[in-house]
């Protein structure tokens, strides 16, 4: 169980809840720490929790039958995921692995389903989130792997800073070039070269601890 004050800091969706719903959510959430490289779950696992990133970065990915690793997206501070698998009551279709030491919040499936069945505010949030996620993956299919390295890095940064999916990020993304490469399917060296191009284009400013976002919309559409 967590305190209501803590819930308001880690979950933007809690602002949509009534006092009763906040109490129910708090009683159904626990937190855990994942060390770098640790899986929260693997593809095919039955994992009956809705999950949020309190701090850190986790990667949503899978390995194809031919052994090729495919990264779908990264999830950062304030991002919550896994609602589709819980609603459909199906095994997870992807791996979740921590790219750095990360603090994770887990809401029990029973609590999630109660909110899903009883809370209008919670459902408004879910509809918005699912719509945003759908747009993200349509863009992934239509653009990401067809583009060269720099547009892929640009879109990766834009997705990580999506204000709906990762409301805790703001304009500064704390990420290493190695982590950015892993999420973009590139080497650290290629990610570094791409960041320099984006910086020269006035879209980002590279800092020692990450990337400052100067033009989010420009990142979304870079290379089109």
């Amino acid at each position: 169980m967590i305190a209501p004050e803590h819930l308001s800091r880690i979950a933007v969706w809690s602002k949509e809840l009534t006092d009763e719903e906040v109490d129910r959510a708090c009683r159904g959430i626990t937190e855990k720490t994942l060390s770098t490289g640790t899986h929260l779950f693997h593809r095919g696992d039955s994992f009956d929790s809705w999950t949020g990133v309190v701090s850190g970065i986790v990667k949503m990915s899978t390995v194809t039958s031919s052994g090729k690793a495919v990264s779908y997206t990264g999830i950062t501070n304030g991002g919550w995921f896994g609602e589709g698998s819980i609603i459909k009551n199906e095994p997870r279709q992807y791996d979740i692995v921590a790219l750095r030491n990360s603090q994770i919040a887990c809401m029990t499936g029973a609590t999630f389903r109660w909110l899903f069945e009883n809370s209008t505010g919670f459902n408004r949030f879910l509809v918005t989130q699912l719509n945003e996620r759908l747009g993200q993956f349509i863009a992934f299919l239509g653009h990401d792997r067809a583009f060269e390295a720099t547009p892929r890095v640009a879109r990766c940064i834009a997705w990580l800073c999506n204000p709906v999916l990762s409301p805790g990020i703001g304009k500064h993304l704390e990420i290493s070039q190695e982590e950015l490469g892993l999420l973009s399917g590139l080497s650290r060296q290629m990610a570094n070269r791409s960041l320099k191009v984006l910086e020269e284009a006035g879209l980002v400013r590279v800092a020692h601890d990450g990337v400052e976002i100067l033009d989010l919309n420009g990142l979304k559409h870079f290379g089109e």
Side-chain angles (χ1 to χ4, degrees), residues 3-12 14-15 54 78 168:
E5 296 78 13
H6 185 55
L7 179 66
S8 69
R9 290 193 295 270
I10 68 172
V12 66
S14 65
K15 297 176 176 60
V54 178

Side-chain angles (χ1 to χ4, degrees), residues 31-169:
E31 293 188 5
K32 64 188 302 181
T33 299
L34 295 181
S35 57
T36 302
T38 301
H39 282 76
L40 179 63
F41 54 78
H42 293 83
R43 181 181 181 183
D45 286 351
S46 294
F47 185 77
D48 194 35
S49 292
W50 191 48
T51 316
V53 179
V54 178
S55 63
I57 304 176
V58 301
K59 179 176 69 169
M60 182 182 293
S61 61
T62 191
V63 178
T64 67
S65 58
S66 63
K68 180 181 178 181
V70 178
S71 295
Y72 295 132
T73 190
I75 304 163
T76 52
N77 299 7
W80 288 75
F81 59 94
E83 57 273 358
S85 296
I86 297 178
I87 291 171
K88 291 183 287 185
N89 191 29
E90 68 176 14
R92 297 303 171 111
Q93 303 300 305
Y94 47 83
D95 302 331
I96 289 291
V97 60
L99 294 186
R100 67 172 67 162
N101 292 343
S102 300
Q103 190 74 9
I104 305 297
C106 295
M107 175 188 284
T108 65
T111 301
F112 176 93
R113 286 185 284 273
W114 187 90
L115 290 171
F116 181 60
E117 292 168 1
N118 293 279
S119 173
T120 300
F122 189 67
N123 278 280
R124 276 198 301 265
F125 168 82
L126 287 179
V127 169
T128 300
Q129 166 136 311
L130 288 168
N131 184 57
E132 197 73 20
R133 190 76 76 190
L134 177 61
Q136 182 185 53
F137 282 103
I138 287 174
F140 172 85
L141 291 172
H143 298 289
D144 186 64
R145 295 313 179 212
F147 279 131
E148 296 181 351
T150 303
R152 285 164 61 177
V153 170
R155 279 165 178 73
C156 181
I157 295 171
W159 290 348
L160 289 170
C161 295
N162 183 298
V164 175
L165 300 176
S166 298
I169 291 298

